[in-house]
Structure formats: C-alpha cells, structure tokens
C-alpha cells in the first residue's frame, strides 16, 4: 500500500489509472477506522482495480462548537487496517493544501438537509459536498462507497452526484454493528461503560419500529413515539431527534407507503450517537443502496 | 462530426475516450458562432485527440431582466461552422435534461465577481460555474478553451478549477476582432449601423490606455478617466464600467506594478458590448493565458 500526502501526486496517479482503463473505487473517511470503514474498503477491493481510501478530518463540515479538535485520530492503526483491507492508496491530504486560502467557490445543498442531523448542524453538509467534490476530482473514482449508518450523508451524496453529473456510481453499504447491535462508530470510544450498555437500546428501538410496520402500522407518528419512549425509558441519553421520512428524499410522510427511514440521534454525556433503519412499506429491510 | 443531444450518451462517449487515453479538448459556448468561437475550436483541434463543443444557452446565468429569451440562435449555421473547425462532437443538451428539477446543490463564487460585469449581473457567475461543473463532468476534458474577451469569465473558471481541483488545464485565447478592431460578439448583430461605427472606439480607447502605460503612466485613475472620456466623446453608448484591475485576481490597484486588465462595458440602445486589454506593468500586451 502506498501512502500519498500530496494532492498533485494523487492527481497524477489517478490520471494514469484512468488512462490505463483501471476502475477506481474510493472510500472517503475521517479516519479512526473500525469495521464499518474496512467493510467499505473490502467491498471496494472486490469491485475495482484500484482502491483509494482518504483520511481527511474536514474542518469545513464541523460547526464552531463541534468536535473537530478532539475528533479521534490514529494514523498508525488506520494505516495497518487499510493495508489489511487491501487498499492500494491511502491518501492523507493536508488541510493547508486542501484549503490553501479562503475558498472563492462555495457549494451548498438546500434539499435533504433540514431534517435529521442536518437540522442541528447548519452548513455541515455544505462542507461535506465541497470536500467530496474536491476529493472526487483528485481521485477520479468510478465507484464511491459510503456506510448507510449516515444515511442522510448517502442521500446528500446521491443529490451531489446527480445534480452535478459526476460520472460516479454511489454505493451505500449496510451499517456494521457490534455483536449486541450497537452501530460501530469512531465516537463510541467516548461512551462511559454505563452508557455503552444503554446504547444498545438505540438499535433495539429501531427494530421495534420496523416490527410495528411489519405488523401493519402505517402511522409514522405512532412509530416515532414508540422509538422515543423506548430510548427515553432505557437510556440516560437525551434524544436529539427521532424521525421517520421518505428515503432518499427525506421528506415527511403522513402514511407509510414507500421506502422510509427511521433515524435517531441521541446525545450522551461526551458524545452523540446516530443510527437508522431503512425499510419498505411492508417493513422489509433495505440493507444498502446502489 | 457527430451531434449529441443526450447527456447519458455524452457521458458514455467521454468515458470511452478517457479510457482509451484520448486527450479531450472542450469548448463551452452559447452558440451563434463567430470567429471567436471557431478560433477556440481550431486551437482545441490542434492540441487534442477529441474536440467537443457544447451549445447551451444556460438560463441559470441570465438575470430576470436579461436577454435569455432573445439570445440569438442559429443551430444550422453553428453546426456547419463547428464541422468546418474540425469539431468531433457537437453537444446540444436540452435545458430540461440539464435542469430536470430545481437544483438541490448550488454553487456560488464570492471572489473575482463583484467587479466588471459581475457587479451588475448578480448571480451570473454562479450560473456559469454551475453549468461548467456539469459540462466538465459530462465531457471530461483535459483542456478547456475560453476567449479572453470575457476575461472575468476566464478568471472565474480559473478559480473554479483550482478551488475544486478539476484535473483540467484552462486555456484563455486572445480576443478575435473585426478588421477595424471591434471585438467579435454574438451580440454585435443588435447594433445599429451608426452604433457599429461608433463601437470601434471601445477598442481604440483600450489601446490608448495601454499606450499611456507604455509611456510611463502608473496611475490607474488617470488611465480609467482617459478611456471613459474617449468612449463618452466618441459613442452614443452609456458606459456601464471602465475598470483597471489586477489579473486574474481582479482586485483594485493603486499603482500599476503587475499584470493588469483594463476592461469596459458599454450599453448601446439594444445591446451591451464588452472588451478588454491585458498587459503587464510596462504595457506589454498579454494575449492569452495558459
């Protein structure tokens, strides 16, 4: 595995591969890898000639009071995991090279963002689409891989690719979970042991929600209330949101009669966890998108 | 020459060429070709394996009171001229396919735009960078060609390519002029015969400006006043702006000691003309950028 720090070198390499008719799979990350990330890399490995993974903690997508400075980092461990996952290029651009001066061109997304995490993180997804546009232009992927754990991000990337006609296929892969069901996340390390035990109820409440739909419930309000009640009763976390929306448009639904997402965010003392389930009108699980 | 209307087919073709290691030159236009356009195509022809020219009158870059509806069109003549210039693909995307629904992702440029034409056309260059991002993703060029007649547009495209790391080389080619010096423009057809005679003074005034610098004048205010006086005295047009700025940053200068542009816009009865000259601190003409 080659580690590349320079944007110019990355562009030279990707240009070469494109011209040699190599198919490039790309996994954009903020590092501190867990199985959720390596699963994306392994999937990319199977489907492409070249696999590029980037690690870039993007200041543009963090709000002023968010955890940019303390976002966990472990480049050494990440390098090992990426290598084991079969990555060809680990791309570690520098923040000064990425944003050499205030940006003259800015991008923003107005749809799919005023719900879920986007609601409490104004500008977050503007930062996401900006850095992804830059990274896509640097790595020139045929396929990009994202985890469905951040389903809103996948919906936003879908809009980005379609709206600006990037010649890229978007693949959303199922959330990877601990044995007890907790969604893997770089932020899980910030949970106390009591919170860690409570946190399993996030996924449990989502499974309950799906079961209600399987059993014939079509009213989103009832399902949302059930999820919220379970999390409130079973955890010390504070609910940021519980929402049931169409997917990927992320619009409110009055009756469940299409593909929907139930998504939650729970604030614990030192960190905030998110999770979701995607299913169709009959409650049939949708595990990923392509 | 092949004429392509479908975005999907255009993307298939460009993908194929990229994979076959063909170098693609791209000329984005709004049609109604004159020598200024065909010059870009011919230059692209010499430097690339494949030459793509698009014609798309982009509603997003016209203000509500601008001339979108009456922008001159002549597809038949354009097709002939493009073929003669050695273009391989004439790409004519449809406005409904280009903007199938309100855009969810928007782009804007905050620098290099609050001067010259950008000042009186709020949002114009936002529309330009949006459509160019889309067209670049459809045609996947190695090199893009623009005329220096719209020098601000070249400066904006330069910012777009650099900021978002497009793997594209920008080439700005010298303005093509009529024998009497008037810059070629699709909008010249709207001039009355009296205005047409007067219009030569636009370029003459710019040459006078350059001569002043050659003769040692370093004060932008004096030069700007000379240009404005000449245009006012010699034409019936109303001056929209006369500006002398650094190039390509388009910032005001107090003393001429770097590459600068003198640019003017003059409103005639039925149309507005622009022109400019680019030169260094000694007055040496800069004919194009690369």
């Amino acid at each position: 595995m080659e580690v590349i720090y320079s944007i110019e070198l990355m562009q030279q390499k990707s240009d070469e591969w494109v011209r040699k008719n190599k198919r490039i799979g790309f996994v954009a990350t903020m590092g501190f890898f867990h199985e959720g990330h390596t699963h994306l890399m392994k999937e990319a490995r199977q489907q492409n000639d070249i696999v590029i993974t980037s690690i870039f903690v993007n200041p543009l997508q963090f709000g002023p009071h968010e955890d940019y400075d303390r976002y966990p980092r472990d480049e050494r461990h990440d390098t090992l995991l990426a290598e084991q996952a079969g990555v060809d290029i680990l791309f570690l651009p520098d923040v000064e090279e990425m944003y050499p001066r205030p940006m003259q061109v800015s991008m923003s997304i107005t749809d799919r963002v005023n719900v879920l995490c986007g609601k409490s993180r104004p500008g977050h997804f503007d930062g996401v689409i900006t850095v992804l546009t830059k990274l896509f232009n640097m790595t020139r992927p045929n396929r990009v891989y994202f985890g469905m754990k951040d389903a809103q991000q996948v919906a936003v990337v879908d809009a980005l690719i379609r709206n600006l006609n990037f010649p890229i296929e978007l693949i959303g892969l199922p959330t990877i979970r601990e044995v007890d069901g907790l969604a893997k996340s770089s932020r899980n390390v910030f949970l106390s042991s009591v919170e860690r035990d409570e946190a399993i109820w996030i996924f449990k409440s989502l499974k309950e929600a799906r079961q209600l739909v399987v059993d014939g419930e079509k009213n989103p309000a009832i399902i949302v209330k059930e999820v919220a009640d379970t999390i409130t009763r079973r955890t010390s976390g504070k609910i940021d949101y519980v929402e049931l929306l169409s997917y990927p448009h992320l619009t409110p639904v009055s009756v469940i009669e299409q593909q929907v997402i139930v998504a939650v965010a729970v604030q614990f003392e030192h960190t905030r966890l998110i999770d979701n389930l995607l299913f169709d009108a009959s409650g049939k699980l949708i595990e990923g998108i392509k």
Side-chain angles (χ1 to χ4, degrees), chain A:
Chain A
M1 187 179 72
E2 190 175 351
V3 180
I4 293 182
Y5 294 87
S6 139
I7 292 173
E8 195 186 338
L9 181 59
M10 184 71 258
Q11 288 195 301
Q12 272 172 27
K13 291 264 180 187
S14 61
D15 185 64
E16 246 172 62
W17 291 319
V18 167
R19 285 177 193 290
K20 284 184 180 157
N21 200 7
K22 303 287 186 197
R23 295 276 151 177
I24 299 174
F26 176 54
V27 182
T29 83
M30 298 209 300
F32 212 70
F33 295 156
H34 51 69
E35 238 180 282
H37 300 99
T38 54
H39 178 59
L40 302 178
M41 298 170 202
K42 287 173 186 165
E43 196 73 16
R45 175 73 288 159
Q46 284 182 19
Q47 302 178 346
N48 301 279
D49 302 311
I50 304 282
V51 177
I52 305 173
T53 292
S54 65
I55 299 179
F56 183 67
V57 183
N58 176 32
L60 216 59
Q61 71 192 63
F62 285 81
H65 303 295
E66 290 180 7
D67 57 354
Y68 174 67
D69 287 329
R70 66 177 196 101
Y71 195 86
R73 295 163 209 237
D74 190 347
E75 204 172 296
R76 198 185 173 86
H77 190 232
D78 286 350
T79 306
L80 183 69
L81 288 183
E83 192 164 64
Q84 287 171 350
V87 168
D88 297 299
I89 299 291
L90 187 63
F91 178 39
L92 305 169
D94 184 79
V95 69
E96 275 76 33
E97 216 199 338
M98 194 64 114
Y99 302 116
R101 63 192 76 80
M103 292 280 281
Q104 301 160 313
V105 168
S106 65
M107 298 178 67
S108 70
I109 173 155
T110 46
D111 205 12
R112 307 185 177 187
V113 295
N114 298 318
V115 292
L116 308 178
C117 291
K119 200 162 52 182
S120 57
R121 304 187 74 184
H124 167 68
F125 286 111
D126 295 346
V128 170
I129 62 173
T130 304
V131 79
L132 287 178
T133 296
K134 289 169 71 73
L135 288 168
F136 291 171
N137 282 339
M138 292 168 194
T139 60
R140 303 182 67 184
N142 297 91
R143 300 187 187 89
V144 292
Y145 298 80
F146 290 88
M148 286 302 291
K149 175 160 159 285
D150 193 344
Q152 186 170 23
Q153 177 168 269
V154 175
V156 163
V157 178
D158 173 67
L160 172 67
I161 287 176
R162 286 173 194 268
N163 268 223
L164 297 183
N165 307 91
F166 280 97
I168 295 176
E169 185 184 352
L170 169 63
I171 293 158
L173 294 176
T175 301
I176 302 293
R177 302 178 179 282
E178 306 288 352
V179 224
D180 63 10
L182 178 65
K184 298 227 179 198
S185 164
S186 305
R187 291 181 172 105
N188 288 349
V189 297
F190 296 126
L191 294 170
S192 72
S193 68
V194 171
E195 289 175 332
R196 176 63 188 81
D197 290 343
E198 296 169 354
I200 60 168
W201 285 96
I202 296 174
F203 183 49
K204 284 192 176 182
S205 72
L206 295 173
K207 286 196 294 187
E208 284 172 7
R210 184 173 83 88
Q211 191 56 48
L212 285 171
V213 177
V214 170
D215 296 344
E217 184 57 64
K218 296 286 178 197
N219 184 343
I222 289 175
I223 293 162
V224 163
K225 186 172 182 308
E226 275 296 316
V227 172
D229 285 352
T230 298
I231 293 171
T232 305
R233 207 166 51 237
R234 300 289 194 165
T235 81
S236 59
K238 190 176 160 297
I239 290 173
D240 184 2
Y241 62 74
V242 177
E243 292 185 62
L244 188 153
L245 302 166
S246 72
Y247 193 87
H249 292 290
L250 300 182
T251 50
V253 298
S254 50
V255 178
I256 298 173
E257 51 195 11
Q258 68 272 282
Q259 178 170 297
V260 294
I261 188 167
V262 185
V264 306
V266 181
Q267 181 67 51
F268 287 92
E269 192 176 355
H270 293 296
T271 197
R272 183 172 163 281
L273 301 185
I274 60 171
D275 202 352
N276 68 76
L277 272 187
L278 191 63
F279 44 81
D280 69 14
S282 67
K284 186 166 167 286
L285 209 58
I286 296 160
E287 294 238 54
I289 68 152
K290 217 193 112 157

